[in-house]
Amino acid sequence: MHRAISFNDPFHPSELIARTRTRQTRREVAEESDTMRDGAVREGKIRIGIVGATPRRGWAGSAHVPALQAIPSLTLHAVATRSEASARIAADAFGAPLWFGDPAAMIEYEEVDAVVIAVKAPDHFGLVRQALLCGKPVYCEWPFGRTVEEARTLDALARDRNVATAVGLQGRFSPWLRQARDLVATGRLGRILSTSLLAYDELSVGSVDEGNAYLLDAANGANPLTIHSGHYIDALCFVLGELVTVSAVTAVSKPRVRVRQTGETRTATSPDQIAVCGLLEDGAVASFQMRAGSGDPSFTWEIQGERGVLRISSAGYLMWHPLRLEVWDAETKRWDALPPPDTAEGPGGLGALAEPARNIARAYDAFAADILTGSRSSVTFSDARRRRETMEAARTAAQDGVAKSPLT
């Protein structure tokens, strides 16, 4: 039997915790984190609470829940939504023993060891901040807040509280992307000269589901530039290194978008045509373009070296679909397909999961290890803050018509 948990105190517990935490030293917070981690080791399971898990629609239910359920050291212990009724439905659907009609109450509840924030970007900041003030490890979905300022604030707080963090840039856990990074590192392509990545955004097609209509407003911080382009540019930097200069051009090619469920038309201010170029740390030239609409392949990425070219492509999104890797040898003048990497690694064979959940499960495996051992194998808040800075440099470069440096 599930238990509904709520707080009705006139002073919300988060206020009391915030006041208490501001008086604690970094060592005291670290000791609390260590105590929680040691307790989780003794129990054998880290009890996860998800904010935003709904069974009918949403990324949390379709990807996060099956992903964390595939990791033996994690257990889904609680779910929270904005209403008790929907939270109870989610708990029944996902087998969670606790449900909360108040996300803040779930975050603070003592039986929740770590928190997953899988709600819309405008709500990231307050919920993540509260979890950090409670000294709890946090996994936050990308794009990690609404603005780069929010990302910086959360990263600084996480480092001050010394807790494990993770962000949903799960493309870094793709076995194919890791194969590509290893190939570049071996020097098979020689010195890298340039790279170009062309991708299609299948959500920008002139119509939108009602639940995603908030993406049309650039002020919400969740749009094709921050979310989809952020995923692809993060993959590019993961394989080749950081961008040190960024120039960009963006446009709204579909300013009027129809909401499928209601038929109403809304104005879009979020860019749906995006072109970014710049220099990588080693001097190679990089270019990225995101087009509104669909295409086959869904993306094509080429990395040019002095001795050859690596081509990466897929019929689906880079973040979770299987990829095809081919190498052009400058001497033999021939394309050769690389053998696929082993994708059945990990507990329970994570490669057997449905596509949206596979790389997220690998991310959860790393997050669990970070909590239990103190390692830092996740895409951390610091990693995500840096990527938000890259995307902010692209946004302001497009706005001002002047190249920017995301590293300053």
Side-chain angles (χ1 to χ4, degrees):
M1 178 177 178
H2 300 298
R3 291 178 282 160
I5 307 296
S6 63
F7 288 96
N8 297 306
D9 295 334
F11 296 100
H12 198 281
S14 62
E15 298 178 7
L16 300 177
I17 290 174
R19 294 169 187 166
T20 301
R21 293 282 174 172
T22 56
R23 293 193 295 267
Q24 288 182 295
T25 67
R26 183 185 297 235
R27 173 174 291 182
E28 288 171 334
V29 173
E31 288 174 352
E32 288 189 9
S33 298
D34 290 342
T35 299
M36 191 205 72
R37 186 176 69 217
D38 293 342
V41 172
R42 287 194 298 271
E43 294 294 328
K45 293 278 190 179
I46 301 167
R47 298 167 296 185
I48 299 291
I50 296 184
V51 181
T54 57
R56 287 188 296 272
R57 65 169 300 279
W59 186 240
S62 63
H64 279 274
V65 172
L68 75 86
Q69 288 176 338
I71 308 302
S73 56
L74 302 178
T75 183
L76 178 58
H77 195 64
V79 296
T81 65
R82 293 298 181 185
S83 75
E84 185 175 325
S86 62
R88 181 168 187 166
I89 292 171
D92 287 335
F94 301 136
L98 304 179
W99 70 81
F100 294 75
D102 176 8
M106 188 207 75
I107 290 172
E108 294 162 2
Y109 194 57
E110 62 181 2
E111 290 184 16
V112 173
D113 299 320
V115 178
V116 174
I117 306 301
V119 295
K120 295 176 180 178
D123 295 326
H124 286 179
F125 181 81
L127 295 168
V128 172
R129 180 178 180 276
Q130 183 183 4
L132 293 174
L133 290 174
C134 290
K136 295 187 178 184
V138 190
Y139 184 125
C140 180
E141 253 305 338
W142 180 254
F144 187 45
R146 191 175 57 85
T147 65
V148 68
E149 290 78 13
E150 289 185 355
R152 287 169 175 159
T153 299
L154 293 176
D155 175 40
L157 180 58
R159 286 185 281 110
D160 181 70
R161 298 290 163 159
N162 193 34
V163 297
T165 62
V167 172
L169 288 168
Q170 66 271 10
R172 296 196 190 194
F173 292 94
S174 164
W176 289 271
L177 274 189
R178 295 195 169 213
Q179 182 183 26
R181 187 178 67 165
D182 291 345
L183 184 141
V184 169
T186 64
R188 178 171 174 179
L189 301 179
R191 183 171 65 92
I192 301 303
L193 305 175
S194 70
T195 186
S196 59
L197 200 166
L198 171 64
Y200 290 92
D201 178 18
E202 297 181 2
L203 292 181
S204 300
V205 293
S207 62
V208 66
D209 287 331
E210 190 170 14
N212 288 329
Y214 81 105
L215 299 172
L216 302 175
D217 185 353
N220 285 327
N223 52 64
L225 176 63
T226 58
I227 297 180
H228 300 105
S229 298
H231 275 292
Y232 281 96
I233 289 179
D234 186 68
L236 188 153
C237 294
F238 174 69
V239 173
L240 296 173
E242 293 297 320
L243 285 158
V244 295
T245 62
V246 173
S247 298
V249 175
T250 63
V252 183
S253 65
K254 296 179 173 65
R256 301 293 290 168
V257 178
R258 180 179 61 84
V259 179
R260 298 187 186 106
Q261 286 77 9
T262 65
E264 68 175 306
T265 300
R266 297 192 186 181
T267 299
T269 58
S270 295
D272 56 18
Q273 299 284 352
I274 297 158
V276 178
C277 64
L279 290 177
L280 297 170
E281 292 170 306
D282 62 0
V285 174
S287 65
F288 166 81
Q289 184 177 2
M290 175 74 76
R291 294 176 176 175
S294 59
D296 188 14
S298 179
F299 79 92
T300 303
W301 178 12
E302 290 192 353
I303 300 171
Q304 178 203 21
E306 289 181 318
R307 295 201 292 269
V309 176
L310 171 63
R311 178 187 292 161
I312 309 169
S313 60
S314 176
Y317 284 116
L318 173 149
M319 296 81 78
W320 65 74
H321 279 82
L323 311 181
R324 176 178 173 83
L325 274 62
E326 305 168 275
V327 173
W328 169 264
D329 189 293
E331 291 186 2
T332 64
K333 311 296 183 185
R334 186 180 68 186
W335 285 102
D336 291 316
L338 296 181
D342 178 14
T343 60
E345 82 293 347
L350 301 183
L353 291 171
E355 285 177 355
R358 290 176 190 169
N359 290 337
I360 294 179
R362 295 174 178 120
Y364 270 117
D365 201 22
F367 185 47
D370 290 349
I371 294 171
L372 295 172
T373 70
S375 62
R376 286 294 181 263
S377 53
S378 295
V379 183
T380 66
F381 281 11
S382 293
D383 298 321
R385 182 260 309 155
R386 170 173 280 191
R387 194 57 56 236
R388 282 303 306 243
E389 289 172 342
T390 306
M391 305 318 298
E392 177 67 5
R395 186 192 70 81
T396 57
Q399 173 183 282
D400 302 339
V402 177
K404 306 289 183 177
S405 174
L407 302 184
T408 57

